């Protein structure tokens, strides 16, 4: 079998041409009472036939469908799934297979982590974001009152099986969305990955394969070192403090809503600039990073009057305890430093810098 297995500490990430076959074999060794497959309309349409072809042991599994999109990360949707599982008499030995992007794995992981105090789940990510980030690491959750990931649990999947051909039906905007996290992984941990991404063609699955593997490895290694996000896992927050502010700001005018990765790409420009301003990063590296990101991601326009609102949105972010901004900044390409104190005035300067850059 042609598979690569990476350890994320409490669960493996299995990649390679035969990843799904490895999943089928694994099912043959597991004792479970019934299997359920959770997916959204897109993933059940585009990916389920291939999953069932390669994992015949799932052919008897019931499918559970949720609408696509972030809105499904919701307690009412979770309740529907819990109820459905109960109606199907799913017991503690049932298995939930989450086939989808980060929405399906976050939601499915949460439902599995709480149903009967926890049943096993397996993640089969179908979006690039899912393959390199969301499906790995056992963080699950749903949104509440418009706030992201407010309710959740840590619940590790039994394993994550990554099958790259699923990406064939994913649109370019979604590919770029996931690519932003790959760029981040390169910037905080793997300079060579970052360089190689710059020359990659997104639609070429063969070219993308080793990059996905290395990006998933960065995520897995960081998670392994810090499963409960108490220390080093914070390196993954690079670009996210300002990125989350931009993301939330874009949601206030629905006609220009950004995807998470698009907002993080902007956050990375701002935070690389802060890294330079705080003498952690050279100007040359800042310039290289900015050039790459501006070439890939469309500019986000706002007025200087919006800076205030953006900072307010960042303050609401649960990571910024007691109004203090603590950033993960770069000390080079491939290296980061966590818990750097940054003042609101410096954040404002970074926003203003970006604003003028793309005006
Ligand atoms: N738990 C974590 O550590 C973690 C990390 C990063 C992101 N996330 C979460 O992940 C979510 C975002 O994930 P996402 O970007 O994958 O979003 P998503 O799950 O909504 O998928 C994006 C879109 O692509 C579609 N899609 C997925 N795979 C497809 C395929 N192969 N072919 C065609 N269409 C396909 C989906 O139906 C959806 O419309 C957010 O809720 C975010 O909070 C979680
Ligand atoms: Zn992210």
């Amino acid at each position: 079998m042609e598979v690569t297995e990476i350890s994320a500490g409490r669960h493996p990430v299995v990649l390679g041409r035969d990843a799904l076959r490895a999943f089928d074999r694994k099912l043959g060794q597991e004792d479970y009472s019934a299997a359920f497959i959770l997916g959204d309309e897109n993933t059940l349409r585009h990916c389920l036939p291939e999953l069932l072809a390669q994992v015949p042991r799932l052919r008897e599994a019931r499918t559970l469908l949720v609408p696509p999109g972030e809105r499904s990360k919701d307690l009412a949707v979770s309740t529907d799934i819990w109820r459905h599982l109960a109606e199907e008499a799913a017991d503690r030995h049932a298995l939930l297979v989450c086939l989808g992007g980060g929405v399906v794995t976050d939601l499915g992981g949460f439902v599995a982590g709480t149903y009967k105090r926890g049943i096993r789940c397996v993640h089969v990510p179908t979006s690039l974001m899912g393959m390199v980030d969301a499906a790995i690491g056992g963080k699950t959750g749903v949104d509440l009152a418009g706030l992201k990931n407010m309710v959740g649990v840590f619940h590790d999947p039994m394993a994550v099986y990554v099958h790259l051909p699923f990406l064939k039906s994913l649109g370019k905007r979604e590919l770029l969305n996931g690519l932003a996290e790959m760029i981040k992984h390169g910037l905080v941990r793997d300079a060579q990955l970052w360089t190689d991404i710059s020359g990659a063609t997104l639609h070429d699955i063969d070219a993308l394969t080793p990059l996905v593997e290395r990006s998933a490895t960065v995520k897995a290694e960081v998670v392994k070192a810090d499963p409960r996000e108490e220390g080093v896992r914070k390196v993954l927050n690079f670009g996210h403090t300002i990125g989350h502010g931009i993301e939330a700001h874009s949601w206030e005018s629905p006609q220009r809503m950004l995807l998470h990765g698009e907002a993080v790409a902007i956050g990375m420009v701002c935070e690389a600039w802060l890294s330079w301003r705080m003498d952690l990063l050279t100007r040359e590296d800042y310039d290289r990073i900015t050039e790459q990101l501006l070439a890939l991601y469309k500019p986000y326009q706002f007025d200087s009057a919006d800076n205030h609102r953006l900072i307010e949105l960042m303050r609401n972010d649960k990571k910024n305890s007691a109004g203090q901004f603590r950033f993960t900044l770069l000390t080079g390409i491939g290296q980061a430093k966590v818990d750097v104190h940054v003042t609101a005035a410096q954040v404002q300067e970074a926003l203003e810098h970006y604003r003028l850059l793309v005006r």
Side-chain angles (χ1 to χ4, degrees):
M1 278 219 201
E2 209 177 291
V3 290
T4 311
E5 193 170 314
I6 309 165
S7 167
R10 301 176 191 210
H11 67 81
V13 180
V14 182
L15 305 105
R17 198 211 303 258
D18 296 318
L20 292 180
R21 301 234 173 258
F23 179 21
D24 192 57
R25 184 188 279 189
K26 175 79 178 153
L27 284 176
Q29 301 157 353
E30 287 291 314
D31 224 357
Y32 56 96
S33 52
F36 296 84
I37 302 172
L38 178 71
D40 68 29
E41 278 142 28
N42 298 321
T43 66
L44 291 186
R45 180 151 61 99
H46 294 291
C47 310
L48 184 61
E50 170 111 358
L51 181 73
L52 296 181
Q54 294 213 33
V55 190
R57 285 184 173 90
L58 285 178
R59 282 183 194 158
E60 303 294 307
R62 302 262 170 173
T63 54
L64 306 168
L65 171 71
V66 295
E70 184 72 23
R71 279 173 172 215
S72 282
K73 274 179 57 173
D74 178 74
L75 279 173
V77 177
S78 308
T79 305
D80 279 346
I81 305 170
W82 288 319
R83 190 170 289 139
H84 215 95
L85 290 170
E87 280 164 11
E88 299 277 347
D91 64 15
R92 286 182 42 223
H93 305 287
L95 176 71
L96 184 66
V97 177
C98 305
L99 177 68
V103 164
V104 167
T105 53
D106 272 16
L107 169 72
F110 172 66
V111 166
T114 46
Y115 181 74
K116 299 212 168 192
R117 296 200 190 87
I119 60 171
R120 284 168 295 170
C121 65
V122 168
H123 291 335
V124 183
T126 60
S127 68
L128 189 55
M129 174 68 82
M131 292 179 185
V132 299
D133 192 351
I136 304 170
K139 278 213 279 183
T140 79
V142 297
D143 307 335
L144 187 73
L147 296 173
K148 286 201 47 149
N149 306 324
M150 284 290 282
V151 180
V153 291
F154 279 102
H155 184 62
D156 285 275
M158 247 168 63
V160 178
Y161 294 95
V162 179
H163 180 64
L164 271 110
F166 283 147
L167 296 178
K168 283 183 203 152
S169 51
L170 197 70
K172 174 153 190 240
R173 193 173 174 199
E174 292 294 343
L175 281 172
L176 277 168
N177 186 39
L179 190 76
E181 301 288 359
M182 294 172 66
I183 291 172
K184 178 196 76 182
H185 288 157
L187 287 174
V188 301
R189 273 292 169 106
D190 184 342
Q192 190 59 45
L193 169 61
W194 182 78
T195 306
D196 292 349
I197 288 173
S198 294
T201 11
L202 270 183
H203 281 296
D204 180 348
I205 303 254
D206 288 334
L208 207 53
T209 300
L211 305 178
V212 168
E213 192 170 319
R214 279 154 62 201
S215 178
T217 302
V218 170
K219 170 91 193 227
E221 281 174 353
V222 171
V223 161
K224 188 176 176 178
D226 180 14
R228 291 293 177 261
E229 199 167 320
E230 288 148 348
V232 57
R233 194 155 167 175
K234 290 182 200 161
V235 298
L236 301 176
N237 292 341
F238 175 64
H240 280 62
T241 307
I242 293 184
H244 278 145
I246 303 263
E247 189 178 6
H249 186 262
S250 82
W251 288 14
E252 291 181 346
S253 27
Q255 72 283 4
R256 51 191 217 139
M257 246 170 89
L258 293 177
L259 297 177
H260 174 72
E262 294 168 336
V264 167
I266 295 161
M268 289 194 284
V269 174
C270 297
E271 296 183 19
W273 186 83
L274 275 175
S275 308
W276 166 69
R277 281 287 281 162
M278 300 186 82
D279 278 335
L280 297 169
L281 187 72
T282 65
R283 180 74 200 197
E284 191 195 350
D285 282 346
Y286 162 73
D287 286 338
R288 289 164 66 205
I289 294 166
T290 301
E291 189 187 344
Q292 180 202 43
L293 291 167
L294 293 185
L296 287 168
Y297 297 92
K298 59 179 189 292
Y300 185 69
Q301 254 113 21
F302 52 93
D303 297 328
S304 58
D306 290 331
N307 287 347
H308 182 72
R309 177 69 188 140
L310 278 159
I311 289 175
E312 197 173 82
L313 289 165
M314 281 175 230
R315 281 195 206 284
N316 291 341
D317 195 319
K318 57 186 179 307
K319 279 191 287 296
N320 297 310
S321 46
Q324 269 276 12
F325 289 110
R326 282 155 167 254
F327 277 76
T328 296
L329 296 180
L330 298 179
T331 52
I333 290 179
Q335 282 170 254
K337 183 172 176 199
V338 304
D339 284 332
V340 183
H341 287 258
V342 175
T343 65
Q346 288 168 317
V347 175
Q348 170 141 1
E349 251 187 87
L351 290 169
E352 193 58 17
H353 171 77
Y354 175 82
R355 197 179 72 78
L356 297 173
L357 194 64
V358 300
R359 200 174 43 167

